[in-house]
Short mmCIF file of all heavy atoms in Angstrom, two decimals:
data_model
loop_
_atom_site.label_atom_id
_atom_site.label_comp_id
_atom_site.label_asym_id
_atom_site.label_seq_id
_atom_site.Cartn_x
_atom_site.Cartn_y
_atom_site.Cartn_z
N MET Q 1 0.87 -1.18 0.04
CA MET Q 1 -0.06 -0.01 0.01
C MET Q 1 0.86 1.24 0.02
O MET Q 1 1.79 1.36 0.83
CB MET Q 1 -0.88 0.00 1.24
CG MET Q 1 -1.85 1.13 1.24
SD MET Q 1 -2.99 0.89 2.61
CE MET Q 1 -3.29 2.58 3.05
N ALA Q 2 0.60 2.17 -0.93
CA ALA Q 2 1.42 3.41 -1.07
C ALA Q 2 0.90 4.45 -0.12
O ALA Q 2 -0.30 4.51 0.19
CB ALA Q 2 1.36 3.92 -2.47
N MET Q 3 1.86 5.24 0.41
CA MET Q 3 1.46 6.28 1.35
C MET Q 3 0.87 7.47 0.51
O MET Q 3 -0.04 8.14 1.01
CB MET Q 3 2.66 6.79 2.12
CG MET Q 3 2.42 7.87 3.03
SD MET Q 3 3.96 8.27 3.96
CE MET Q 3 3.63 9.95 4.41
N TRP Q 4 1.30 7.70 -0.68
CA TRP Q 4 0.89 8.82 -1.48
C TRP Q 4 -0.02 8.38 -2.62
O TRP Q 4 0.21 7.41 -3.23
CB TRP Q 4 2.20 9.48 -2.12
CG TRP Q 4 3.11 9.99 -1.15
CD1 TRP Q 4 4.30 9.38 -0.83
CD2 TRP Q 4 3.06 11.16 -0.34
NE1 TRP Q 4 4.92 10.13 0.16
CE2 TRP Q 4 4.20 11.21 0.48
CE3 TRP Q 4 2.11 12.16 -0.18
CZ2 TRP Q 4 4.48 12.24 1.34
CZ3 TRP Q 4 2.42 13.21 0.72
CH2 TRP Q 4 3.56 13.20 1.45
N ALA Q 5 -0.97 9.25 -2.91
CA ALA Q 5 -1.86 8.96 -4.12
C ALA Q 5 -1.19 9.54 -5.28
O ALA Q 5 -1.25 8.96 -6.42
CB ALA Q 5 -3.21 9.64 -3.90
N ALA Q 6 -0.39 10.62 -5.13
CA ALA Q 6 0.29 11.26 -6.24
C ALA Q 6 1.58 10.52 -6.61
O ALA Q 6 2.17 9.91 -5.74
CB ALA Q 6 0.56 12.72 -5.96
N ASP Q 7 2.01 10.64 -7.82
CA ASP Q 7 3.22 9.93 -8.23
C ASP Q 7 4.32 10.94 -8.61
O ASP Q 7 5.35 10.53 -9.20
CB ASP Q 7 2.95 9.02 -9.46
CG ASP Q 7 2.49 9.73 -10.67
OD1 ASP Q 7 2.31 10.98 -10.61
OD2 ASP Q 7 2.35 9.08 -11.73
N ASN Q 8 4.19 12.19 -8.21
CA ASN Q 8 5.22 13.17 -8.44
C ASN Q 8 5.38 14.13 -7.21
O ASN Q 8 4.44 14.15 -6.35
CB ASN Q 8 4.99 13.96 -9.78
CG ASN Q 8 3.65 14.70 -9.75
OD1 ASN Q 8 3.38 15.47 -8.76
ND2 ASN Q 8 2.89 14.63 -10.73
N ARG Q 9 6.47 14.82 -7.19
CA ARG Q 9 6.71 15.66 -5.96
C ARG Q 9 5.68 16.72 -5.83
O ARG Q 9 5.22 16.98 -4.64
CB ARG Q 9 8.07 16.28 -6.06
CG ARG Q 9 8.46 16.99 -4.82
CD ARG Q 9 9.94 17.41 -4.83
NE ARG Q 9 10.32 17.89 -3.49
CZ ARG Q 9 11.40 18.59 -3.29
NH1 ARG Q 9 12.15 18.99 -4.36
NH2 ARG Q 9 11.71 19.00 -2.11
N ALA Q 10 5.31 17.37 -6.92
CA ALA Q 10 4.26 18.53 -6.77
C ALA Q 10 2.97 17.96 -6.20
O ALA Q 10 2.35 18.60 -5.32
CB ALA Q 10 4.09 19.15 -8.11
N GLY Q 11 2.58 16.79 -6.60
CA GLY Q 11 1.36 16.17 -6.15
C GLY Q 11 1.43 15.80 -4.69
O GLY Q 11 0.54 15.96 -3.87
N ARG Q 12 2.62 15.31 -4.32
CA ARG Q 12 2.87 14.93 -2.92
C ARG Q 12 2.91 16.16 -1.97
O ARG Q 12 2.38 16.15 -0.89
CB ARG Q 12 4.15 14.17 -2.78
CG ARG Q 12 4.04 12.77 -3.41
CD ARG Q 12 5.24 12.03 -3.42
NE ARG Q 12 5.03 10.73 -4.04
CZ ARG Q 12 5.97 10.04 -4.63
NH1 ARG Q 12 7.21 10.44 -4.55
NH2 ARG Q 12 5.67 8.88 -5.18
N VAL Q 13 3.43 17.21 -2.52
CA VAL Q 13 3.46 18.51 -1.72
C VAL Q 13 1.98 18.95 -1.54
O VAL Q 13 1.58 19.37 -0.44
CB VAL Q 13 4.30 19.60 -2.45
CG1 VAL Q 13 3.96 20.97 -1.90
CG2 VAL Q 13 5.80 19.36 -2.36
N ARG Q 14 1.17 18.91 -2.57
CA ARG Q 14 -0.24 19.29 -2.43
C ARG Q 14 -0.96 18.38 -1.38
O ARG Q 14 -1.69 18.83 -0.55
CB ARG Q 14 -0.95 19.16 -3.81
CG ARG Q 14 -2.40 19.51 -3.67
CD ARG Q 14 -3.10 19.28 -4.99
NE ARG Q 14 -2.73 20.20 -6.04
CZ ARG Q 14 -3.21 21.44 -6.23
NH1 ARG Q 14 -4.13 21.90 -5.41
NH2 ARG Q 14 -2.75 22.18 -7.18
N GLU Q 15 -0.64 17.07 -1.41
CA GLU Q 15 -1.23 16.18 -0.47
C GLU Q 15 -0.74 16.51 0.94
O GLU Q 15 -1.58 16.47 1.90
CB GLU Q 15 -0.91 14.74 -0.77
CG GLU Q 15 -1.53 14.18 -1.97
CD GLU Q 15 -1.10 12.77 -2.29
OE1 GLU Q 15 -0.68 12.05 -1.41
OE2 GLU Q 15 -1.19 12.38 -3.47
N GLY Q 16 0.52 16.85 1.09
CA GLY Q 16 1.02 17.25 2.43
C GLY Q 16 0.37 18.48 2.94
O GLY Q 16 0.02 18.56 4.13
N LEU Q 17 0.20 19.49 2.03
CA LEU Q 17 -0.46 20.72 2.53
C LEU Q 17 -1.94 20.49 2.88
O LEU Q 17 -2.41 21.04 3.85
CB LEU Q 17 -0.35 21.75 1.42
CG LEU Q 17 1.07 22.36 1.18
CD1 LEU Q 17 1.12 23.20 -0.04
CD2 LEU Q 17 1.53 23.13 2.44
N THR Q 18 -2.59 19.54 2.10
CA THR Q 18 -3.95 19.22 2.43
C THR Q 18 -4.02 18.55 3.80
O THR Q 18 -5.01 18.81 4.58
CB THR Q 18 -4.58 18.34 1.34
OG1 THR Q 18 -4.44 19.07 0.05
CG2 THR Q 18 -5.93 17.96 1.57
N LEU Q 19 -3.09 17.75 4.10
CA LEU Q 19 -3.00 17.04 5.37
C LEU Q 19 -2.88 18.13 6.49
O LEU Q 19 -3.60 18.05 7.50
CB LEU Q 19 -1.86 16.03 5.50
CG LEU Q 19 -1.60 15.50 6.90
CD1 LEU Q 19 -2.65 14.58 7.34
CD2 LEU Q 19 -0.22 14.81 6.94
N LEU Q 20 -1.91 19.04 6.36
CA LEU Q 20 -1.75 20.06 7.38
C LEU Q 20 -3.02 20.91 7.53
O LEU Q 20 -3.35 21.23 8.64
CB LEU Q 20 -0.57 20.95 6.97
CG LEU Q 20 0.83 20.33 6.90
CD1 LEU Q 20 1.86 21.44 6.67
CD2 LEU Q 20 1.17 19.53 8.13
N LEU Q 21 -3.64 21.20 6.46
CA LEU Q 21 -4.93 21.97 6.52
C LEU Q 21 -6.00 21.19 7.26
O LEU Q 21 -6.69 21.72 8.16
CB LEU Q 21 -5.37 22.32 5.11
CG LEU Q 21 -6.64 23.18 4.95
CD1 LEU Q 21 -6.44 24.52 5.66
CD2 LEU Q 21 -6.98 23.39 3.49
N SER Q 22 -6.17 19.91 6.95
CA SER Q 22 -7.19 19.12 7.61
C SER Q 22 -6.93 18.91 9.07
O SER Q 22 -7.83 18.71 9.89
CB SER Q 22 -7.30 17.72 6.88
OG SER Q 22 -6.18 16.95 7.18
N GLN Q 23 -5.64 19.02 9.48
CA GLN Q 23 -5.29 18.85 10.92
C GLN Q 23 -5.31 20.14 11.63
O GLN Q 23 -5.03 20.25 12.84
CB GLN Q 23 -3.90 18.23 11.07
CG GLN Q 23 -3.82 16.82 10.53
CD GLN Q 23 -4.66 15.86 11.39
OE1 GLN Q 23 -4.50 15.93 12.65
NE2 GLN Q 23 -5.37 15.03 10.76
N GLY Q 24 -5.60 21.25 10.95
CA GLY Q 24 -5.65 22.56 11.57
C GLY Q 24 -4.25 23.17 11.84
O GLY Q 24 -4.20 24.15 12.65
N LEU Q 25 -3.25 22.63 11.14
CA LEU Q 25 -1.89 23.18 11.40
C LEU Q 25 -1.59 24.39 10.58
O LEU Q 25 -0.63 25.11 10.91
CB LEU Q 25 -0.88 22.00 11.23
CG LEU Q 25 -1.13 20.83 12.13
CD1 LEU Q 25 -0.13 19.69 11.78
CD2 LEU Q 25 -0.99 21.22 13.58
N ILE Q 26 -2.29 24.54 9.50
CA ILE Q 26 -2.19 25.79 8.68
C ILE Q 26 -3.62 26.27 8.43
O ILE Q 26 -4.51 25.48 8.57
CB ILE Q 26 -1.41 25.56 7.34
CG1 ILE Q 26 -2.17 24.52 6.45
CG2 ILE Q 26 -0.01 25.16 7.58
CD1 ILE Q 26 -1.59 24.39 5.05
N GLU Q 27 -3.74 27.53 8.13
CA GLU Q 27 -5.10 28.08 7.90
C GLU Q 27 -5.58 27.87 6.47
O GLU Q 27 -6.76 27.69 6.24
CB GLU Q 27 -5.13 29.55 8.25
CG GLU Q 27 -4.84 29.79 9.72
CD GLU Q 27 -4.91 31.29 10.17
OE1 GLU Q 27 -4.97 32.12 9.24
OE2 GLU Q 27 -4.89 31.52 11.33
N ASP Q 28 -4.67 27.92 5.52
CA ASP Q 28 -5.00 27.76 4.12
C ASP Q 28 -3.73 27.60 3.28
O ASP Q 28 -2.66 27.85 3.79
CB ASP Q 28 -5.86 28.95 3.62
CG ASP Q 28 -6.71 28.66 2.43
OD1 ASP Q 28 -6.68 27.46 1.94
OD2 ASP Q 28 -7.29 29.56 1.87
N PHE Q 29 -3.91 27.32 2.01
CA PHE Q 29 -2.77 27.32 1.08
C PHE Q 29 -3.32 27.56 -0.26
O PHE Q 29 -4.49 27.34 -0.58
CB PHE Q 29 -1.92 26.04 1.12
CG PHE Q 29 -2.58 24.85 0.58
CD1 PHE Q 29 -2.40 24.55 -0.82
CD2 PHE Q 29 -3.28 23.97 1.34
CE1 PHE Q 29 -2.96 23.36 -1.36
CE2 PHE Q 29 -3.89 22.86 0.78
CZ PHE Q 29 -3.70 22.53 -0.57
N GLU Q 30 -2.42 28.11 -1.14
CA GLU Q 30 -2.74 28.41 -2.55
C GLU Q 30 -1.50 28.06 -3.35
O GLU Q 30 -0.34 28.21 -2.85
CB GLU Q 30 -3.04 29.91 -2.70
CG GLU Q 30 -3.38 30.31 -4.07
CD GLU Q 30 -3.63 31.87 -4.21
OE1 GLU Q 30 -3.52 32.55 -3.14
OE2 GLU Q 30 -3.84 32.26 -5.35
N ILE Q 31 -1.74 27.55 -4.53
CA ILE Q 31 -0.60 27.21 -5.40
C ILE Q 31 -0.73 28.06 -6.65
O ILE Q 31 -1.76 28.00 -7.38
CB ILE Q 31 -0.55 25.75 -5.79
CG1 ILE Q 31 -0.46 24.89 -4.45
CG2 ILE Q 31 0.60 25.40 -6.72
CD1 ILE Q 31 -0.57 23.40 -4.64
N ARG Q 32 0.29 28.82 -7.00
CA ARG Q 32 0.34 29.70 -8.18
C ARG Q 32 1.46 29.18 -9.05
O ARG Q 32 2.58 29.60 -8.97
CB ARG Q 32 0.60 31.13 -7.82
CG ARG Q 32 -0.43 31.75 -6.92
CD ARG Q 32 -0.05 33.16 -6.55
NE ARG Q 32 -0.99 33.73 -5.66
CZ ARG Q 32 -0.86 34.99 -5.16
NH1 ARG Q 32 0.21 35.66 -5.37
NH2 ARG Q 32 -1.81 35.42 -4.32
N PRO Q 33 1.13 28.23 -10.02
CA PRO Q 33 2.21 27.58 -10.83
C PRO Q 33 3.14 28.47 -11.53
O PRO Q 33 4.35 28.04 -11.68
CB PRO Q 33 1.41 26.73 -11.77
CG PRO Q 33 0.04 26.63 -11.18
CD PRO Q 33 -0.19 27.83 -10.39
N ASP Q 34 2.84 29.59 -11.94
CA ASP Q 34 3.67 30.46 -12.73
C ASP Q 34 4.53 31.44 -11.89
O ASP Q 34 5.30 32.21 -12.42
CB ASP Q 34 2.84 31.29 -13.77
CG ASP Q 34 2.15 30.44 -14.78
OD1 ASP Q 34 2.67 29.27 -15.05
OD2 ASP Q 34 1.03 30.77 -15.18
N ASP Q 35 4.45 31.28 -10.57
CA ASP Q 35 5.18 32.27 -9.66
C ASP Q 35 6.51 31.61 -9.32
O ASP Q 35 6.66 30.42 -9.26
CB ASP Q 35 4.34 32.44 -8.41
CG ASP Q 35 4.74 33.69 -7.65
OD1 ASP Q 35 5.94 33.92 -7.50
OD2 ASP Q 35 3.80 34.35 -7.14
N GLU Q 36 7.44 32.45 -8.99
CA GLU Q 36 8.81 31.99 -8.61
C GLU Q 36 8.73 31.20 -7.20
O GLU Q 36 9.43 30.24 -7.01
CB GLU Q 36 9.79 33.15 -8.36
CG GLU Q 36 11.13 32.79 -7.91
CD GLU Q 36 12.09 34.00 -7.80
OE1 GLU Q 36 11.66 35.17 -8.18
OE2 GLU Q 36 13.14 33.79 -7.29
N HIS Q 37 7.79 31.65 -6.40
CA HIS Q 37 7.51 30.98 -5.13
C HIS Q 37 6.00 30.64 -5.12
O HIS Q 37 5.18 31.39 -4.59
CB HIS Q 37 7.83 31.95 -3.90
CG HIS Q 37 9.28 32.11 -3.75
ND1 HIS Q 37 9.93 33.19 -4.39
CD2 HIS Q 37 10.27 31.50 -3.09
CE1 HIS Q 37 11.23 33.11 -4.07
NE2 HIS Q 37 11.38 32.06 -3.32
N PRO Q 38 5.68 29.58 -5.84
CA PRO Q 38 4.27 29.23 -6.05
C PRO Q 38 3.36 28.81 -4.96
O PRO Q 38 2.17 28.84 -5.01
CB PRO Q 38 4.39 28.16 -7.13
CG PRO Q 38 5.65 27.53 -6.89
CD PRO Q 38 6.56 28.58 -6.47
N TYR Q 39 4.07 28.42 -3.83
CA TYR Q 39 3.21 27.88 -2.67
C TYR Q 39 3.02 28.96 -1.66
O TYR Q 39 4.06 29.55 -1.18
CB TYR Q 39 3.94 26.69 -2.07
CG TYR Q 39 4.10 25.52 -3.03
CD1 TYR Q 39 5.20 25.39 -3.83
CD2 TYR Q 39 3.03 24.63 -3.16
CE1 TYR Q 39 5.31 24.35 -4.72
CE2 TYR Q 39 3.16 23.57 -4.07
CZ TYR Q 39 4.23 23.45 -4.84
OH TYR Q 39 4.41 22.38 -5.75
N ARG Q 40 1.80 29.33 -1.44
CA ARG Q 40 1.41 30.36 -0.45
C ARG Q 40 0.70 29.66 0.69
O ARG Q 40 -0.40 29.11 0.57
CB ARG Q 40 0.54 31.34 -1.06
CG ARG Q 40 1.01 32.13 -2.28
CD ARG Q 40 1.96 33.31 -1.86
NE ARG Q 40 2.18 34.18 -2.94
CZ ARG Q 40 3.30 34.17 -3.66
NH1 ARG Q 40 4.14 33.26 -3.45
NH2 ARG Q 40 3.50 35.05 -4.54
N VAL Q 41 1.38 29.66 1.83
CA VAL Q 41 0.78 28.91 3.01
C VAL Q 41 0.40 30.07 3.99
O VAL Q 41 1.21 30.96 4.36
CB VAL Q 41 1.88 28.03 3.71
CG1 VAL Q 41 1.33 27.36 4.85
CG2 VAL Q 41 2.39 27.01 2.66
N THR Q 42 -0.88 29.97 4.39
CA THR Q 42 -1.42 30.99 5.32
C THR Q 42 -1.47 30.38 6.79
O THR Q 42 -1.88 29.26 6.98
CB THR Q 42 -2.86 31.32 4.93
OG1 THR Q 42 -2.93 31.81 3.58
CG2 THR Q 42 -3.42 32.45 5.85
N MET Q 43 -0.80 31.14 7.68
CA MET Q 43 -0.72 30.78 9.04
C MET Q 43 -1.11 32.00 9.83
O MET Q 43 -1.28 33.07 9.30
CB MET Q 43 0.75 30.36 9.36
CG MET Q 43 1.23 29.17 8.55
SD MET Q 43 2.86 28.61 9.04
CE MET Q 43 2.64 28.13 10.69
N PRO Q 44 -1.27 31.87 11.21
CA PRO Q 44 -1.73 33.03 11.93
C PRO Q 44 -0.76 34.25 11.84
O PRO Q 44 -1.19 35.37 11.87
CB PRO Q 44 -1.70 32.53 13.41
CG PRO Q 44 -2.01 31.08 13.29
CD PRO Q 44 -1.32 30.62 11.99
N ALA Q 45 0.54 34.02 11.57
CA ALA Q 45 1.49 35.03 11.44
C ALA Q 45 1.43 35.73 10.10
O ALA Q 45 2.02 36.77 9.87
CB ALA Q 45 2.92 34.54 11.64
N GLY Q 46 0.73 35.10 9.13
CA GLY Q 46 0.63 35.67 7.83
C GLY Q 46 0.87 34.69 6.65
O GLY Q 46 0.77 33.52 6.95
N VAL Q 47 1.05 35.17 5.48
CA VAL Q 47 1.22 34.29 4.34
C VAL Q 47 2.75 34.09 4.12
O VAL Q 47 3.52 35.03 4.03
CB VAL Q 47 0.55 34.86 3.09
CG1 VAL Q 47 0.79 33.99 1.89
CG2 VAL Q 47 -0.92 35.06 3.31
N ILE Q 48 3.15 32.87 3.92
CA ILE Q 48 4.50 32.49 3.64
C ILE Q 48 4.56 32.05 2.17
O ILE Q 48 3.87 31.12 1.80
CB ILE Q 48 5.00 31.36 4.53
CG1 ILE Q 48 4.81 31.80 6.01
CG2 ILE Q 48 6.53 31.09 4.25
CD1 ILE Q 48 5.00 30.59 6.97
N ALA Q 49 5.43 32.67 1.38
CA ALA Q 49 5.60 32.23 -0.02
C ALA Q 49 6.87 31.32 -0.11
O ALA Q 49 7.93 31.76 0.39
CB ALA Q 49 5.83 33.49 -0.87
N LEU Q 50 6.67 30.17 -0.69
CA LEU Q 50 7.76 29.18 -0.74
C LEU Q 50 7.86 28.61 -2.13
O LEU Q 50 6.87 28.42 -2.88
CB LEU Q 50 7.44 28.05 0.22
CG LEU Q 50 7.21 28.48 1.69
CD1 LEU Q 50 6.47 27.34 2.49
CD2 LEU Q 50 8.49 28.81 2.34
N ASN Q 51 9.09 28.15 -2.50
CA ASN Q 51 9.24 27.33 -3.69
C ASN Q 51 9.02 25.88 -3.32
O ASN Q 51 8.80 25.55 -2.15
CB ASN Q 51 10.58 27.64 -4.38
CG ASN Q 51 11.76 27.20 -3.58
OD1 ASN Q 51 11.72 26.20 -2.83
ND2 ASN Q 51 12.87 27.95 -3.73
N GLU Q 52 9.09 24.97 -4.31
CA GLU Q 52 8.77 23.56 -4.11
C GLU Q 52 9.78 22.97 -3.00
O GLU Q 52 9.36 22.19 -2.20
CB GLU Q 52 8.78 22.79 -5.35
CG GLU Q 52 8.28 21.38 -5.18
CD GLU Q 52 8.10 20.69 -6.51
OE1 GLU Q 52 9.10 20.05 -6.95
OE2 GLU Q 52 7.06 20.71 -7.09
N ASN Q 53 11.01 23.27 -3.17
CA ASN Q 53 12.02 22.78 -2.23
C ASN Q 53 11.75 23.22 -0.78
O ASN Q 53 11.79 22.48 0.13
CB ASN Q 53 13.45 23.12 -2.69
CG ASN Q 53 14.49 22.12 -2.30
OD1 ASN Q 53 14.14 20.94 -2.10
ND2 ASN Q 53 15.69 22.54 -2.22
N GLN Q 54 11.47 24.55 -0.67
CA GLN Q 54 11.22 25.09 0.65
C GLN Q 54 9.96 24.51 1.25
O GLN Q 54 9.99 24.25 2.46
CB GLN Q 54 11.15 26.64 0.55
CG GLN Q 54 12.40 27.35 0.17
CD GLN Q 54 12.20 28.77 -0.21
OE1 GLN Q 54 11.16 29.12 -0.79
NE2 GLN Q 54 13.24 29.58 0.04
N VAL Q 55 8.92 24.43 0.43
CA VAL Q 55 7.66 23.88 1.05
C VAL Q 55 7.83 22.43 1.47
O VAL Q 55 7.19 21.97 2.45
CB VAL Q 55 6.48 24.11 0.07
CG1 VAL Q 55 6.43 23.11 -1.07
CG2 VAL Q 55 5.15 24.07 0.83
N ALA Q 56 8.60 21.63 0.79
CA ALA Q 56 8.83 20.26 1.18
C ALA Q 56 9.50 20.20 2.54
O ALA Q 56 9.12 19.43 3.38
CB ALA Q 56 9.71 19.54 0.11
N HIS Q 57 10.52 21.12 2.78
CA HIS Q 57 11.10 21.10 4.03
C HIS Q 57 10.24 21.69 5.18
O HIS Q 57 10.21 21.21 6.34
CB HIS Q 57 12.40 22.01 4.01
CG HIS Q 57 13.54 21.30 3.37
ND1 HIS Q 57 13.81 21.42 2.04
CD2 HIS Q 57 14.47 20.46 3.85
CE1 HIS Q 57 14.84 20.65 1.70
NE2 HIS Q 57 15.25 20.06 2.82
N PHE Q 58 9.39 22.69 4.77
CA PHE Q 58 8.34 23.17 5.67
C PHE Q 58 7.37 22.10 6.15
O PHE Q 58 7.14 22.00 7.32
CB PHE Q 58 7.54 24.30 4.97
CG PHE Q 58 6.36 24.78 5.71
CD1 PHE Q 58 6.50 25.80 6.69
CD2 PHE Q 58 5.09 24.38 5.47
CE1 PHE Q 58 5.37 26.26 7.40
CE2 PHE Q 58 4.01 24.85 6.10
CZ PHE Q 58 4.16 25.79 7.08
N LEU Q 59 6.95 21.29 5.19
CA LEU Q 59 6.06 20.12 5.51
C LEU Q 59 6.74 19.17 6.51
O LEU Q 59 6.15 18.85 7.52
CB LEU Q 59 5.63 19.35 4.25
CG LEU Q 59 4.72 20.02 3.31
CD1 LEU Q 59 4.68 19.30 1.98
CD2 LEU Q 59 3.33 20.18 3.93
N LEU Q 60 7.94 18.83 6.27
CA LEU Q 60 8.66 17.97 7.21
C LEU Q 60 8.84 18.56 8.60
O LEU Q 60 8.51 17.86 9.61
CB LEU Q 60 10.07 17.66 6.62
CG LEU Q 60 10.95 16.76 7.48
CD1 LEU Q 60 10.28 15.36 7.68
CD2 LEU Q 60 12.27 16.55 6.84
N GLY Q 61 9.14 19.84 8.65
CA GLY Q 61 9.28 20.53 9.91
C GLY Q 61 8.00 20.56 10.75
O GLY Q 61 7.93 20.29 11.89
N VAL Q 62 6.89 20.91 10.01
CA VAL Q 62 5.58 20.99 10.73
C VAL Q 62 5.10 19.62 11.22
O VAL Q 62 4.68 19.51 12.36
CB VAL Q 62 4.49 21.65 9.80
CG1 VAL Q 62 3.13 21.55 10.43
CG2 VAL Q 62 4.85 23.07 9.48
N VAL Q 63 5.20 18.63 10.39
CA VAL Q 63 4.84 17.27 10.80
C VAL Q 63 5.64 16.79 11.96
O VAL Q 63 5.15 16.20 12.96
CB VAL Q 63 4.88 16.33 9.56
CG1 VAL Q 63 4.70 14.90 9.98
CG2 VAL Q 63 3.80 16.71 8.56
N THR Q 64 6.97 16.99 11.86
CA THR Q 64 7.84 16.61 12.98
C THR Q 64 7.48 17.32 14.25
O THR Q 64 7.45 16.68 15.35
CB THR Q 64 9.32 16.84 12.60
OG1 THR Q 64 9.63 16.13 11.40
CG2 THR Q 64 10.31 16.40 13.68
N ALA Q 65 7.28 18.62 14.17
CA ALA Q 65 7.00 19.38 15.40
C ALA Q 65 5.63 18.97 15.99
O ALA Q 65 5.54 18.89 17.17
CB ALA Q 65 6.98 20.89 15.06
N ARG Q 66 4.68 18.66 15.11
CA ARG Q 66 3.30 18.32 15.64
C ARG Q 66 3.23 16.86 16.09
O ARG Q 66 2.68 16.60 17.16
CB ARG Q 66 2.27 18.58 14.53
CG ARG Q 66 0.95 18.15 14.87
CD ARG Q 66 0.37 18.90 16.05
NE ARG Q 66 -1.04 18.54 16.30
CZ ARG Q 66 -1.36 17.75 17.27
NH1 ARG Q 66 -0.47 17.26 18.10
NH2 ARG Q 66 -2.65 17.42 17.51
N PHE Q 67 3.78 15.96 15.33
CA PHE Q 67 3.56 14.54 15.65
C PHE Q 67 4.80 13.88 16.31
O PHE Q 67 4.61 12.77 16.85
CB PHE Q 67 3.14 13.78 14.36
CG PHE Q 67 1.87 14.28 13.81
CD1 PHE Q 67 1.82 14.98 12.63
CD2 PHE Q 67 0.69 14.05 14.48
CE1 PHE Q 67 0.58 15.48 12.13
CE2 PHE Q 67 -0.54 14.54 14.00
CZ PHE Q 67 -0.57 15.22 12.76
N GLY Q 68 5.92 14.47 16.31
CA GLY Q 68 7.12 13.85 16.94
C GLY Q 68 6.89 13.57 18.40
O GLY Q 68 7.23 12.52 18.82
N PRO Q 69 6.44 14.58 19.15
CA PRO Q 69 6.24 14.29 20.58
C PRO Q 69 5.27 13.12 20.82
O PRO Q 69 5.48 12.25 21.71
CB PRO Q 69 5.71 15.62 21.17
CG PRO Q 69 6.22 16.64 20.23
CD PRO Q 69 6.20 15.99 18.89
N LEU Q 70 4.22 13.06 20.05
CA LEU Q 70 3.25 11.98 20.16
C LEU Q 70 3.87 10.60 19.84
O LEU Q 70 3.68 9.68 20.54
CB LEU Q 70 2.06 12.20 19.24
CG LEU Q 70 1.03 11.08 19.13
CD1 LEU Q 70 0.36 10.88 20.49
CD2 LEU Q 70 -0.03 11.44 18.06
N ALA Q 71 4.69 10.57 18.82
CA ALA Q 71 5.41 9.38 18.38
C ALA Q 71 6.35 8.92 19.47
O ALA Q 71 6.53 7.78 19.76
CB ALA Q 71 6.14 9.59 17.07
N ARG Q 72 7.09 9.90 20.12
CA ARG Q 72 8.01 9.57 21.17
C ARG Q 72 7.29 8.97 22.35
O ARG Q 72 7.72 8.02 22.98
CB ARG Q 72 8.85 10.78 21.59
CG ARG Q 72 9.91 11.04 20.53
CD ARG Q 72 10.92 12.12 21.05
NE ARG Q 72 10.37 13.41 21.07
CZ ARG Q 72 10.24 14.23 20.01
NH1 ARG Q 72 10.53 13.79 18.87
NH2 ARG Q 72 9.69 15.40 20.15
N ARG Q 73 6.14 9.59 22.69
CA ARG Q 73 5.32 9.03 23.85
C ARG Q 73 4.81 7.65 23.57
O ARG Q 73 4.86 6.75 24.39
CB ARG Q 73 4.13 10.00 24.19
CG ARG Q 73 4.48 11.15 24.95
CD ARG Q 73 3.31 11.89 25.52
NE ARG Q 73 2.26 12.26 24.55
CZ ARG Q 73 2.25 13.35 23.81
NH1 ARG Q 73 3.26 14.19 23.94
NH2 ARG Q 73 1.29 13.56 22.96
N CYS Q 74 4.34 7.43 22.34
CA CYS Q 74 3.79 6.10 21.98
C CYS Q 74 4.90 5.08 21.94
O CYS Q 74 4.67 3.93 22.25
CB CYS Q 74 3.04 6.19 20.65
SG CYS Q 74 1.52 7.15 20.70
N GLY Q 75 6.05 5.47 21.42
CA GLY Q 75 7.17 4.52 21.27
C GLY Q 75 7.80 4.22 22.60
O GLY Q 75 8.54 3.18 22.76
N SER Q 76 7.61 5.00 23.68
CA SER Q 76 8.29 4.78 24.95
C SER Q 76 7.51 3.83 25.83
O SER Q 76 7.99 3.50 26.93
CB SER Q 76 8.48 6.11 25.68
OG SER Q 76 7.23 6.59 26.09
N GLY Q 77 6.41 3.39 25.37
CA GLY Q 77 5.59 2.47 26.22
C GLY Q 77 4.67 3.10 27.26
O GLY Q 77 4.16 2.51 28.06
N SER Q 78 4.63 4.44 27.28
CA SER Q 78 3.89 5.18 28.21
C SER Q 78 2.44 5.17 27.83
O SER Q 78 1.99 5.21 26.74
CB SER Q 78 4.30 6.67 28.35
OG SER Q 78 5.65 6.83 28.31
#
């Protein structure tokens, strides 16, 4: 079973942003394909404009920050 429905990086980034949105970790996102920084992520602090490489690292950071502590608690037998 595959983790991703998409078979390319842009599709996976969209799926990752959709996951963050559904979990309430971001307020919204927009993708502007013709822009130098096409990914616009809306958070309480404002809108962050990112390119594909930056948004991939952003996704990893947010997921790690949000779910890392939970994973450590579950993995410790507590």
